[in-house]
Short mmCIF file of all heavy atoms in Angstrom, two decimals:
data_model
loop_
_atom_site.label_atom_id
_atom_site.label_comp_id
_atom_site.label_asym_id
_atom_site.label_seq_id
_atom_site.Cartn_x
_atom_site.Cartn_y
_atom_site.Cartn_z
N MET Z 1 10.58 -4.18 9.07
CA MET Z 1 9.78 -4.72 7.98
C MET Z 1 8.64 -5.57 8.56
O MET Z 1 8.85 -6.39 9.43
CB MET Z 1 10.66 -5.59 7.08
CG MET Z 1 9.95 -6.13 5.84
SD MET Z 1 9.66 -4.88 4.60
CE MET Z 1 11.26 -4.87 3.76
N LYS Z 2 7.45 -5.32 8.07
CA LYS Z 2 6.29 -6.09 8.52
C LYS Z 2 5.83 -7.01 7.39
O LYS Z 2 5.84 -6.63 6.22
CB LYS Z 2 5.13 -5.15 8.89
CG LYS Z 2 5.47 -4.16 10.00
CD LYS Z 2 5.65 -4.86 11.32
CE LYS Z 2 5.91 -3.83 12.43
NZ LYS Z 2 6.15 -4.48 13.73
N GLU Z 3 5.45 -8.22 7.75
CA GLU Z 3 5.02 -9.20 6.76
C GLU Z 3 3.67 -9.77 7.17
O GLU Z 3 3.43 -10.07 8.34
CB GLU Z 3 6.06 -10.31 6.66
CG GLU Z 3 5.73 -11.35 5.59
CD GLU Z 3 6.86 -12.37 5.46
OE1 GLU Z 3 7.93 -11.99 4.97
OE2 GLU Z 3 6.65 -13.53 5.87
N TYR Z 4 2.81 -9.91 6.18
CA TYR Z 4 1.48 -10.46 6.43
C TYR Z 4 1.13 -11.43 5.31
O TYR Z 4 1.19 -11.07 4.13
CB TYR Z 4 0.45 -9.33 6.51
CG TYR Z 4 -0.98 -9.77 6.32
CD1 TYR Z 4 -1.62 -10.55 7.27
CD2 TYR Z 4 -1.70 -9.41 5.18
CE1 TYR Z 4 -2.94 -10.98 7.08
CE2 TYR Z 4 -3.01 -9.82 4.99
CZ TYR Z 4 -3.62 -10.60 5.94
OH TYR Z 4 -4.90 -11.01 5.76
N ALA Z 5 0.82 -12.66 5.68
CA ALA Z 5 0.35 -13.65 4.71
C ALA Z 5 -1.17 -13.63 4.73
O ALA Z 5 -1.79 -13.98 5.73
CB ALA Z 5 0.88 -15.04 5.06
N CYS Z 6 -1.76 -13.19 3.63
CA CYS Z 6 -3.22 -13.04 3.60
C CYS Z 6 -3.92 -14.36 3.88
O CYS Z 6 -5.00 -14.38 4.46
CB CYS Z 6 -3.64 -12.46 2.25
SG CYS Z 6 -5.34 -11.89 2.22
N GLY Z 7 -3.28 -15.47 3.52
CA GLY Z 7 -3.88 -16.77 3.75
C GLY Z 7 -4.11 -17.08 5.23
O GLY Z 7 -4.89 -17.97 5.58
N ASP Z 8 -3.42 -16.36 6.12
CA ASP Z 8 -3.65 -16.56 7.55
C ASP Z 8 -5.05 -16.10 7.96
O ASP Z 8 -5.58 -16.55 8.98
CB ASP Z 8 -2.61 -15.78 8.37
CG ASP Z 8 -1.23 -16.42 8.30
OD1 ASP Z 8 -1.12 -17.56 7.79
OD2 ASP Z 8 -0.26 -15.79 8.76
N VAL Z 9 -5.61 -15.17 7.20
CA VAL Z 9 -6.93 -14.62 7.53
C VAL Z 9 -7.97 -15.05 6.48
O VAL Z 9 -9.11 -15.32 6.81
CB VAL Z 9 -6.87 -13.08 7.63
CG1 VAL Z 9 -8.27 -12.48 7.77
CG2 VAL Z 9 -5.99 -12.68 8.82
N VAL Z 10 -7.53 -15.10 5.22
CA VAL Z 10 -8.41 -15.50 4.13
C VAL Z 10 -7.88 -16.81 3.55
O VAL Z 10 -6.96 -16.80 2.73
CB VAL Z 10 -8.48 -14.42 3.03
CG1 VAL Z 10 -9.48 -14.83 1.95
CG2 VAL Z 10 -8.86 -13.07 3.63
N PRO Z 11 -8.42 -17.96 4.00
CA PRO Z 11 -7.90 -19.24 3.53
C PRO Z 11 -7.89 -19.33 2.00
O PRO Z 11 -8.86 -18.95 1.34
CB PRO Z 11 -8.89 -20.25 4.13
CG PRO Z 11 -9.43 -19.57 5.34
CD PRO Z 11 -9.51 -18.11 4.97
N GLY Z 12 -6.76 -19.79 1.47
CA GLY Z 12 -6.64 -19.97 0.04
C GLY Z 12 -5.98 -18.82 -0.67
O GLY Z 12 -5.59 -18.96 -1.83
N CYS Z 13 -5.85 -17.68 -0.03
CA CYS Z 13 -5.18 -16.54 -0.67
C CYS Z 13 -3.68 -16.69 -0.50
O CYS Z 13 -3.19 -16.91 0.60
CB CYS Z 13 -5.64 -15.21 -0.08
SG CYS Z 13 -4.89 -13.80 -0.93
N GLY Z 14 -2.94 -16.60 -1.61
CA GLY Z 14 -1.50 -16.78 -1.56
C GLY Z 14 -0.71 -15.49 -1.45
O GLY Z 14 0.51 -15.52 -1.49
N ALA Z 15 -1.40 -14.38 -1.28
CA ALA Z 15 -0.70 -13.09 -1.25
C ALA Z 15 0.10 -12.93 0.04
O ALA Z 15 -0.37 -13.24 1.12
CB ALA Z 15 -1.70 -11.96 -1.39
N VAL Z 16 1.33 -12.47 -0.11
CA VAL Z 16 2.16 -12.10 1.03
C VAL Z 16 2.56 -10.65 0.83
O VAL Z 16 3.10 -10.28 -0.21
CB VAL Z 16 3.41 -12.99 1.14
CG1 VAL Z 16 4.29 -12.53 2.30
CG2 VAL Z 16 3.01 -14.45 1.34
N ILE Z 17 2.27 -9.83 1.83
CA ILE Z 17 2.50 -8.39 1.72
C ILE Z 17 3.59 -7.99 2.70
O ILE Z 17 3.55 -8.35 3.87
CB ILE Z 17 1.19 -7.63 2.00
CG1 ILE Z 17 0.11 -8.04 0.99
CG2 ILE Z 17 1.43 -6.12 1.95
CD1 ILE Z 17 -1.29 -7.57 1.36
N ARG Z 18 4.57 -7.24 2.21
CA ARG Z 18 5.66 -6.75 3.06
C ARG Z 18 5.75 -5.24 2.93
O ARG Z 18 5.88 -4.72 1.82
CB ARG Z 18 7.00 -7.38 2.66
CG ARG Z 18 7.07 -8.87 2.89
CD ARG Z 18 8.43 -9.44 2.50
NE ARG Z 18 8.43 -10.90 2.57
CZ ARG Z 18 8.09 -11.69 1.57
NH1 ARG Z 18 7.73 -11.16 0.41
NH2 ARG Z 18 8.10 -12.99 1.73
N VAL Z 19 5.66 -4.56 4.06
CA VAL Z 19 5.76 -3.10 4.07
C VAL Z 19 6.56 -2.69 5.31
O VAL Z 19 6.96 -3.53 6.11
CB VAL Z 19 4.37 -2.42 4.08
CG1 VAL Z 19 3.63 -2.67 2.77
CG2 VAL Z 19 3.56 -2.91 5.26
N ASP Z 20 6.73 -1.37 5.49
CA ASP Z 20 7.58 -0.90 6.57
C ASP Z 20 6.85 -0.72 7.90
O ASP Z 20 7.48 -0.75 8.95
CB ASP Z 20 8.22 0.44 6.18
CG ASP Z 20 9.28 0.26 5.11
OD1 ASP Z 20 9.93 -0.80 5.08
OD2 ASP Z 20 9.47 1.18 4.31
N SER Z 21 5.54 -0.50 7.86
CA SER Z 21 4.84 -0.21 9.11
C SER Z 21 3.47 -0.86 9.11
O SER Z 21 2.92 -1.23 8.07
CB SER Z 21 4.67 1.30 9.30
OG SER Z 21 3.68 1.78 8.41
N GLU Z 22 2.91 -1.01 10.32
CA GLU Z 22 1.62 -1.66 10.46
C GLU Z 22 0.51 -0.81 9.81
O GLU Z 22 -0.41 -1.35 9.21
CB GLU Z 22 1.34 -1.87 11.95
CG GLU Z 22 0.39 -3.04 12.21
CD GLU Z 22 0.37 -3.45 13.68
OE1 GLU Z 22 1.41 -3.90 14.19
OE2 GLU Z 22 -0.69 -3.30 14.29
N ASP Z 23 0.60 0.50 9.95
CA ASP Z 23 -0.42 1.36 9.34
C ASP Z 23 -0.39 1.25 7.82
O ASP Z 23 -1.43 1.24 7.16
CB ASP Z 23 -0.21 2.82 9.77
CG ASP Z 23 -0.62 3.06 11.21
OD1 ASP Z 23 -1.34 2.20 11.77
OD2 ASP Z 23 -0.22 4.08 11.77
N GLU Z 24 0.82 1.18 7.27
CA GLU Z 24 0.96 1.02 5.82
C GLU Z 24 0.38 -0.33 5.41
O GLU Z 24 -0.22 -0.46 4.35
CB GLU Z 24 2.45 1.13 5.45
CG GLU Z 24 2.69 1.22 3.95
CD GLU Z 24 4.18 1.37 3.64
OE1 GLU Z 24 5.00 1.42 4.57
OE2 GLU Z 24 4.51 1.42 2.44
N MET Z 25 0.57 -1.34 6.27
CA MET Z 25 0.04 -2.66 5.98
C MET Z 25 -1.48 -2.61 5.83
O MET Z 25 -2.04 -3.20 4.90
CB MET Z 25 0.41 -3.63 7.11
CG MET Z 25 -0.08 -5.05 6.90
SD MET Z 25 0.77 -5.86 5.54
CE MET Z 25 2.31 -6.32 6.35
N ILE Z 26 -2.14 -1.92 6.72
CA ILE Z 26 -3.60 -1.84 6.65
C ILE Z 26 -4.02 -1.15 5.34
O ILE Z 26 -4.98 -1.57 4.69
CB ILE Z 26 -4.16 -1.09 7.88
CG1 ILE Z 26 -3.80 -1.86 9.16
CG2 ILE Z 26 -5.66 -0.92 7.75
CD1 ILE Z 26 -4.26 -3.30 9.20
N ALA Z 27 -3.29 -0.12 4.95
CA ALA Z 27 -3.62 0.59 3.71
C ALA Z 27 -3.45 -0.33 2.50
O ALA Z 27 -4.30 -0.38 1.61
CB ALA Z 27 -2.75 1.83 3.57
N VAL Z 28 -2.33 -1.07 2.47
CA VAL Z 28 -2.07 -1.96 1.34
C VAL Z 28 -3.07 -3.12 1.34
O VAL Z 28 -3.56 -3.53 0.29
CB VAL Z 28 -0.62 -2.48 1.40
CG1 VAL Z 28 -0.38 -3.55 0.34
CG2 VAL Z 28 0.36 -1.33 1.21
N CYS Z 29 -3.38 -3.63 2.53
CA CYS Z 29 -4.34 -4.73 2.63
C CYS Z 29 -5.73 -4.29 2.16
O CYS Z 29 -6.46 -5.09 1.57
CB CYS Z 29 -4.44 -5.23 4.07
SG CYS Z 29 -3.07 -6.28 4.55
N THR Z 30 -6.08 -3.06 2.43
CA THR Z 30 -7.38 -2.55 1.99
C THR Z 30 -7.47 -2.60 0.47
O THR Z 30 -8.46 -3.07 -0.10
CB THR Z 30 -7.59 -1.12 2.51
OG1 THR Z 30 -7.54 -1.13 3.93
CG2 THR Z 30 -8.95 -0.59 2.05
N VAL Z 31 -6.41 -2.13 -0.21
CA VAL Z 31 -6.39 -2.16 -1.67
C VAL Z 31 -6.40 -3.60 -2.17
O VAL Z 31 -7.11 -3.94 -3.12
CB VAL Z 31 -5.15 -1.40 -2.20
CG1 VAL Z 31 -5.05 -1.56 -3.71
CG2 VAL Z 31 -5.23 0.06 -1.82
N HIS Z 32 -5.63 -4.47 -1.50
CA HIS Z 32 -5.61 -5.88 -1.88
C HIS Z 32 -7.01 -6.50 -1.74
O HIS Z 32 -7.46 -7.23 -2.62
CB HIS Z 32 -4.61 -6.63 -1.00
CG HIS Z 32 -4.70 -8.13 -1.12
ND1 HIS Z 32 -4.25 -8.81 -2.23
CD2 HIS Z 32 -5.20 -9.06 -0.28
CE1 HIS Z 32 -4.49 -10.11 -2.05
NE2 HIS Z 32 -5.05 -10.29 -0.88
N ALA Z 33 -7.68 -6.20 -0.64
CA ALA Z 33 -9.01 -6.75 -0.40
C ALA Z 33 -10.01 -6.27 -1.46
O ALA Z 33 -10.89 -7.00 -1.88
CB ALA Z 33 -9.50 -6.36 1.00
N GLN Z 34 -9.84 -5.02 -1.88
CA GLN Z 34 -10.73 -4.47 -2.91
C GLN Z 34 -10.50 -5.16 -4.25
O GLN Z 34 -11.45 -5.46 -4.97
CB GLN Z 34 -10.49 -2.96 -3.04
CG GLN Z 34 -11.01 -2.18 -1.83
CD GLN Z 34 -10.49 -0.76 -1.77
OE1 GLN Z 34 -9.49 -0.41 -2.39
NE2 GLN Z 34 -11.18 0.09 -1.01
N HIS Z 35 -9.24 -5.43 -4.57
CA HIS Z 35 -8.92 -6.01 -5.87
C HIS Z 35 -9.08 -7.53 -5.89
O HIS Z 35 -9.52 -8.10 -6.88
CB HIS Z 35 -7.49 -5.65 -6.28
CG HIS Z 35 -7.34 -4.20 -6.62
ND1 HIS Z 35 -6.13 -3.62 -6.90
CD2 HIS Z 35 -8.25 -3.20 -6.71
CE1 HIS Z 35 -6.31 -2.33 -7.17
NE2 HIS Z 35 -7.58 -2.05 -7.05
N ALA Z 36 -8.70 -8.19 -4.79
CA ALA Z 36 -8.63 -9.66 -4.79
C ALA Z 36 -9.81 -10.31 -4.09
O ALA Z 36 -10.11 -11.47 -4.36
CB ALA Z 36 -7.33 -10.10 -4.12
N HIS Z 37 -10.46 -9.60 -3.18
CA HIS Z 37 -11.50 -10.23 -2.38
C HIS Z 37 -12.86 -9.55 -2.50
O HIS Z 37 -13.75 -9.80 -1.68
CB HIS Z 37 -11.05 -10.30 -0.91
CG HIS Z 37 -9.79 -11.08 -0.73
ND1 HIS Z 37 -9.67 -12.41 -1.09
CD2 HIS Z 37 -8.57 -10.73 -0.27
CE1 HIS Z 37 -8.43 -12.82 -0.83
NE2 HIS Z 37 -7.74 -11.83 -0.35
N GLY Z 38 -13.00 -8.67 -3.46
CA GLY Z 38 -14.32 -8.11 -3.73
C GLY Z 38 -14.81 -7.13 -2.69
O GLY Z 38 -16.01 -6.87 -2.60
N LEU Z 39 -13.88 -6.57 -1.88
CA LEU Z 39 -14.29 -5.55 -0.92
C LEU Z 39 -14.79 -4.32 -1.67
O LEU Z 39 -14.09 -3.78 -2.53
CB LEU Z 39 -13.11 -5.16 -0.02
CG LEU Z 39 -13.39 -4.04 0.99
CD1 LEU Z 39 -14.30 -4.54 2.11
CD2 LEU Z 39 -12.10 -3.48 1.57
N THR Z 40 -15.99 -3.88 -1.34
CA THR Z 40 -16.55 -2.72 -2.02
C THR Z 40 -16.55 -1.47 -1.15
O THR Z 40 -16.83 -0.38 -1.63
CB THR Z 40 -18.00 -3.00 -2.48
OG1 THR Z 40 -18.76 -3.42 -1.36
CG2 THR Z 40 -18.02 -4.11 -3.53
N GLU Z 41 -16.24 -1.66 0.15
CA GLU Z 41 -16.20 -0.50 1.05
C GLU Z 41 -14.85 0.19 0.93
O GLU Z 41 -13.85 -0.42 0.54
CB GLU Z 41 -16.38 -0.96 2.51
CG GLU Z 41 -17.55 -1.89 2.73
CD GLU Z 41 -18.88 -1.21 2.46
OE1 GLU Z 41 -19.00 -0.03 2.76
OE2 GLU Z 41 -19.78 -1.88 1.94
N PRO Z 42 -14.80 1.48 1.26
CA PRO Z 42 -13.50 2.19 1.24
C PRO Z 42 -12.56 1.72 2.34
O PRO Z 42 -11.35 1.91 2.25
CB PRO Z 42 -13.88 3.66 1.42
CG PRO Z 42 -15.22 3.63 2.07
CD PRO Z 42 -15.91 2.38 1.57
N GLN Z 43 -13.13 1.10 3.40
CA GLN Z 43 -12.30 0.57 4.49
C GLN Z 43 -12.77 -0.83 4.85
O GLN Z 43 -13.92 -1.19 4.63
CB GLN Z 43 -12.43 1.47 5.74
CG GLN Z 43 -11.83 2.86 5.55
CD GLN Z 43 -11.83 3.65 6.85
OE1 GLN Z 43 -12.69 3.45 7.71
NE2 GLN Z 43 -10.86 4.54 6.99
N MET Z 44 -11.85 -1.60 5.42
CA MET Z 44 -12.21 -2.92 5.92
C MET Z 44 -12.94 -2.78 7.25
O MET Z 44 -12.78 -1.79 7.96
CB MET Z 44 -10.95 -3.78 6.11
CG MET Z 44 -10.23 -4.08 4.80
SD MET Z 44 -8.79 -5.13 5.04
CE MET Z 44 -7.65 -3.95 5.80
N ALA Z 45 -13.73 -3.81 7.59
CA ALA Z 45 -14.43 -3.81 8.87
C ALA Z 45 -13.42 -3.87 10.02
O ALA Z 45 -12.33 -4.44 9.88
CB ALA Z 45 -15.37 -5.00 8.94
N ASP Z 46 -13.80 -3.29 11.16
CA ASP Z 46 -12.89 -3.23 12.30
C ASP Z 46 -12.43 -4.61 12.75
O ASP Z 46 -11.27 -4.80 13.12
CB ASP Z 46 -13.58 -2.52 13.48
CG ASP Z 46 -13.68 -1.01 13.25
OD1 ASP Z 46 -13.01 -0.51 12.34
OD2 ASP Z 46 -14.43 -0.36 14.00
N ASP Z 47 -13.35 -5.60 12.71
CA ASP Z 47 -12.96 -6.92 13.19
C ASP Z 47 -11.97 -7.56 12.23
O ASP Z 47 -11.07 -8.30 12.63
CB ASP Z 47 -14.18 -7.81 13.41
CG ASP Z 47 -14.92 -8.13 12.12
OD1 ASP Z 47 -14.98 -7.26 11.23
OD2 ASP Z 47 -15.44 -9.25 12.00
N LEU Z 48 -12.09 -7.26 10.95
CA LEU Z 48 -11.15 -7.79 9.97
C LEU Z 48 -9.78 -7.13 10.15
O LEU Z 48 -8.75 -7.81 10.11
CB LEU Z 48 -11.67 -7.55 8.55
CG LEU Z 48 -10.82 -8.11 7.42
CD1 LEU Z 48 -10.59 -9.60 7.58
CD2 LEU Z 48 -11.46 -7.82 6.07
N ILE Z 49 -9.78 -5.83 10.39
CA ILE Z 49 -8.52 -5.14 10.63
C ILE Z 49 -7.83 -5.72 11.86
O ILE Z 49 -6.62 -5.95 11.87
CB ILE Z 49 -8.76 -3.63 10.80
CG1 ILE Z 49 -9.17 -3.01 9.46
CG2 ILE Z 49 -7.49 -2.94 11.33
CD1 ILE Z 49 -9.57 -1.55 9.55
N ALA Z 50 -8.61 -6.02 12.90
CA ALA Z 50 -8.04 -6.60 14.12
C ALA Z 50 -7.42 -7.96 13.83
O ALA Z 50 -6.35 -8.29 14.35
CB ALA Z 50 -9.13 -6.72 15.19
N ARG Z 51 -8.08 -8.76 12.99
CA ARG Z 51 -7.54 -10.08 12.66
C ARG Z 51 -6.26 -9.96 11.84
O ARG Z 51 -5.32 -10.75 12.00
CB ARG Z 51 -8.59 -10.89 11.89
CG ARG Z 51 -9.75 -11.35 12.77
CD ARG Z 51 -10.91 -11.86 11.95
NE ARG Z 51 -10.54 -13.04 11.16
CZ ARG Z 51 -11.28 -13.52 10.15
NH1 ARG Z 51 -12.38 -12.90 9.81
NH2 ARG Z 51 -10.90 -14.58 9.51
N ILE Z 52 -6.22 -8.97 10.96
CA ILE Z 52 -5.01 -8.77 10.16
C ILE Z 52 -3.87 -8.30 11.05
O ILE Z 52 -2.75 -8.81 10.97
CB ILE Z 52 -5.29 -7.76 9.03
CG1 ILE Z 52 -6.19 -8.41 7.98
CG2 ILE Z 52 -3.97 -7.28 8.40
CD1 ILE Z 52 -6.70 -7.45 6.93
N ARG Z 53 -4.16 -7.35 11.94
CA ARG Z 53 -3.09 -6.86 12.84
C ARG Z 53 -2.51 -8.01 13.67
O ARG Z 53 -1.31 -8.09 13.89
CB ARG Z 53 -3.65 -5.77 13.78
CG ARG Z 53 -3.83 -4.42 13.09
CD ARG Z 53 -4.14 -3.34 14.13
NE ARG Z 53 -4.48 -2.06 13.53
CZ ARG Z 53 -3.56 -1.17 13.11
NH1 ARG Z 53 -2.28 -1.43 13.23
NH2 ARG Z 53 -3.94 -0.03 12.57
N ALA Z 54 -3.39 -8.93 14.09
CA ALA Z 54 -2.94 -10.07 14.90
C ALA Z 54 -2.08 -11.03 14.08
O ALA Z 54 -1.27 -11.77 14.63
CB ALA Z 54 -4.15 -10.81 15.47
N ALA Z 55 -2.24 -10.99 12.75
CA ALA Z 55 -1.53 -11.93 11.88
C ALA Z 55 -0.24 -11.34 11.31
O ALA Z 55 0.51 -12.04 10.63
CB ALA Z 55 -2.44 -12.40 10.74
N ILE Z 56 0.01 -10.05 11.57
CA ILE Z 56 1.21 -9.41 11.03
C ILE Z 56 2.45 -9.88 11.80
O ILE Z 56 2.45 -9.91 13.04
CB ILE Z 56 1.09 -7.87 11.13
CG1 ILE Z 56 0.00 -7.36 10.19
CG2 ILE Z 56 2.43 -7.21 10.78
CD1 ILE Z 56 -0.30 -5.88 10.36
N HIS Z 57 3.47 -10.27 11.04
CA HIS Z 57 4.73 -10.68 11.64
C HIS Z 57 5.78 -9.63 11.35
O HIS Z 57 5.72 -8.94 10.33
CB HIS Z 57 5.21 -12.01 11.04
CG HIS Z 57 4.23 -13.13 11.22
ND1 HIS Z 57 4.05 -13.78 12.42
CD2 HIS Z 57 3.36 -13.71 10.36
CE1 HIS Z 57 3.13 -14.72 12.28
NE2 HIS Z 57 2.69 -14.69 11.04
N THR Z 58 6.74 -9.51 12.25
CA THR Z 58 7.88 -8.65 12.00
C THR Z 58 8.96 -9.48 11.33
O THR Z 58 9.42 -10.48 11.88
CB THR Z 58 8.41 -8.03 13.30
OG1 THR Z 58 7.38 -7.24 13.88
CG2 THR Z 58 9.62 -7.16 13.02
N ALA Z 59 9.34 -9.07 10.11
CA ALA Z 59 10.33 -9.79 9.34
C ALA Z 59 11.64 -9.02 9.35
O ALA Z 59 11.66 -7.80 9.52
CB ALA Z 59 9.84 -10.00 7.91
N ALA Z 60 12.73 -9.73 9.16
CA ALA Z 60 14.05 -9.09 9.17
C ALA Z 60 14.22 -8.18 7.96
O ALA Z 60 13.68 -8.45 6.90
CB ALA Z 60 15.13 -10.15 9.19
ZN1 ZN K 1 -5.78 -11.94 0.00
#
């Protein structure tokens, strides 16, 4: 199980996302960014993806 607290990358965001894999996390985060953070691109920028990957924790 992978866990990502969006507030680690986007201060003030309280969303915590839990999925089974890191690739799934990026897909879910993309949708979250589109809905919650005004992302208008179909994909997040590479540097943002890198920051999210660095912030993903492995949860039990
Ligand atoms: Zn967020």
Side-chain angles (χ1 to χ4, degrees):
M1 184 73 83
K2 301 291 183 182
E3 183 175 290
Y4 161 69
C6 193
D8 287 350
V9 172
V10 183
C13 183
V16 177
I17 300 168
R18 294 181 187 89
V19 293
D20 289 329
S21 73
E22 206 167 296
D23 286 344
E24 190 179 359
M25 181 68 79
I26 298 305
V28 173
C29 283
T30 300
V31 174
H32 169 73
Q34 289 166 340
H35 290 174
H37 300 300
L39 177 72
T40 55
E41 311 295 324
Q43 293 187 331
M44 295 182 287
D46 286 346
D47 66 325
L48 183 56
I49 290 174
R51 288 167 63 194
I52 289 171
R53 284 190 187 278
I56 292 173
H57 301 284
T58 299

